[in-house]
Amino acid sequence: MNRRRVTVVAAAVGVVAGVAGLGVLAMPAGAGPAPELPEVGAEALVESVLTAKPSAFGGAVSVTNDLGIPGITGLPQLSDGDSKLRVWTDGAGRVRVQLPAADSEKTFVDDGQTGWLWDSAEQKVTKLAHGEAEAPKLELDPNAPQVPTDPVAVAREAVAKIKEFSDVSVDGTARVADRPAYELVLTPKPTERTVLREVRVAVDSELRIPLRFEVLTNGTAVPAVQIGFSELNVGPQDAALFTFTPPPGAKVSEPELREPTAEEKALAEGAFTEANPQVIGEGWDQVLAARIPADSLKNLAQQQGDDREWKRDGGPGQDVDVEGLLKQVGKQVSGPWGSGTLITTRVGAALIADDGRVAAGAVPEQVLVEAIGQVK
């Protein structure tokens, strides 16, 4: 595999995906009056969310993007709109996720020993090691799931990262997926410079798992992105859900697991050193920064390698027009720091300088400008 090529593509396209991914969390409240629950302190509620034991459950999850990003050819998961999936877990590491489409379905099953990724449209099965649900995304595979396989884990991770920099409170109760829940609210401290106003988490009153996670931005009462349970069945699930046998006639592939050669290690280390990824700031106004070689975006279409190539419609046979993609979703800006492309969404922004510097975060433009001046 041409690792340098993969690194460059991931860095360029990942900037766009990263900005969108800043807010891939939330779920509208379920119907019904607010339940009466015993009072609980905010810190105690946070701690219970972070330390709750995994539970077995199955449910339906809805995802709604309202980021203000126009439709991107070949990258439909970044566009505004709705999608649905179903997820099951036994609470001990086995999981099943199904992503239905109009005339096909993608399914991921981790049976505790092996992961299976099934694409009915392509009649293709990818076999992975246990716990490697994210592996297909490393090559930006458009056929890989583009939504979190564990919405509970996503919400917990987000709460853990921002609680230190937030004012935390409990704002009543709610009923979500027909279960009673506390409304946990995390608001940026006054010193935080961010475009986000608050995060609201509906926490199951019994299990302490997040049922709903809303990210609200400044100037609007509508969540920028929503993900969470619309249906939830708590308790042991059918064991057959966590087994998988490739259908007859399906093509089964397995990523080659081998020790990289000295040359591949050197290329990977060189690419990492050249990119020099950095974290600038902390908390809500944390900025992720890196440096893409100045000519990489221009020359990407001419690079050759044994990697599978992208196509604008998401299929093989033609390279991604990265420069065209950036122009499609961003605007040209300049200042004492230089010139480049600014991509903004309701939950954050990314600044891509013409000389290859990149900065992204849930912050206003000025914070990115300050950060990109620190990129080495």
Side-chain angles (χ1 to χ4, degrees):
M1 177 183 293
N2 185 328
R3 296 194 175 197
R4 177 181 177 84
R5 177 194 165 101
V6 171
T7 300
V8 171
V9 174
V13 181
V15 166
V16 181
V19 173
L22 289 170
V24 181
L25 308 164
M27 180 65 208
E36 293 186 6
L37 297 172
E39 290 189 8
V40 61
E43 292 297 334
L45 186 57
V46 169
E47 186 64 20
S48 68
V49 170
L50 300 180
T51 59
K53 294 182 179 180
S55 301
F57 63 79
V61 178
S62 297
V63 180
T64 300
N65 286 342
D66 188 16
L67 300 172
I69 297 179
I72 305 173
T73 306
L75 296 176
Q77 71 277 4
L78 297 186
S79 306
D80 288 348
D82 303 329
S83 58
K84 298 181 183 298
L85 68 148
R86 298 195 67 87
V87 59
W88 299 262
T89 175
D90 69 348
R94 298 196 300 172
V95 63
R96 182 185 189 94
V97 181
Q98 291 181 335
L99 292 83
D103 54 0
S104 63
E105 183 177 272
K106 296 181 179 68
T107 301
F108 175 77
V109 177
D110 191 327
D111 60 19
Q113 295 181 327
T114 305
W116 305 90
L117 183 62
W118 160 241
D119 186 332
S120 66
E122 299 290 335
Q123 289 291 296
K124 175 183 175 182
V125 175
T126 303
K127 186 178 179 182
L128 304 166
H130 168 60
E132 290 189 355
E134 302 291 318
K137 297 182 184 179
L138 295 179
E139 296 188 56
L140 302 176
D141 186 345
N143 293 322
Q146 299 295 331
V147 293
T149 57
D150 187 348
V152 172
V154 170
R156 280 177 174 157
E157 182 179 1
V159 170
K161 286 183 177 181
I162 65 174
K163 68 182 181 68
E164 179 184 349
F165 308 93
S166 308
D167 293 323
V168 186
S169 62
V170 179
D171 185 21
T173 64
R175 187 167 294 277
V176 179
D178 202 29
R179 291 186 63 85
Y182 293 100
E183 288 274 23
L184 178 66
V185 181
L186 296 98
T187 305
K189 290 183 179 296
T191 54
E192 300 293 306
R193 296 184 297 171
T194 176
V195 298
L196 304 182
R197 186 175 84 236
E198 65 183 24
V199 163
R200 301 182 67 90
V201 187
V203 179
D204 188 284
S205 62
E206 176 188 357
L207 302 176
R208 292 300 201 259
I209 63 173
L211 302 178
R212 177 187 72 199
F213 197 120
E214 294 181 324
V215 176
L216 299 169
T217 60
N218 294 323
T220 178
V222 179
V225 184
Q226 299 179 330
I227 181 175
F229 294 102
S230 55
E231 301 174 17
L232 186 62
N233 174 25
V234 175
Q237 304 296 302
D238 185 353
L241 290 167
F242 309 113
T243 62
F244 182 84
T245 301
K251 179 182 178 181
V252 180
S253 63
E254 184 172 357
E256 182 181 0
L257 300 178
R258 61 176 178 81
E259 184 69 20
T261 65
E263 180 181 4
E264 289 172 334
K265 287 182 179 180
L267 285 173
E269 291 173 359
F272 184 84
T273 300
E274 194 168 16
N276 190 24
Q278 305 162 54
V279 177
I280 300 173
E282 57 183 359
W284 294 74
D285 48 11
Q286 184 178 89
V287 173
L288 306 180
R291 179 180 289 276
I292 302 172
D295 60 350
S296 294
L297 298 184
K298 293 183 179 180
N299 294 338
L300 184 60
Q302 283 74 46
Q303 292 185 25
Q304 298 298 318
D306 58 1
D307 297 32
R308 180 176 57 193
E309 295 180 325
W310 272 26
K311 190 178 183 180
R312 283 177 178 262
D313 64 3
Q318 180 179 336
D319 285 318
V320 178
D321 179 2
V322 179
E323 285 188 308
L325 173 62
L326 295 179
K327 291 179 180 178
Q328 184 180 350
V329 298
K331 68 175 183 177
Q332 299 303 299
V333 293
S334 61
W337 55 271
S339 61
T341 303
L342 177 68
I343 302 171
T344 58
T345 74
R346 289 179 56 197
V347 295
L351 181 58
I352 307 169
D354 293 337
D355 63 6
R357 291 172 296 163
V358 176
V363 296
E365 179 180 351
Q366 181 57 38
V367 178
L368 292 182
V369 168
E370 294 173 7
I372 209 164
Q374 303 178 46
V375 176
K376 301 177 181 179

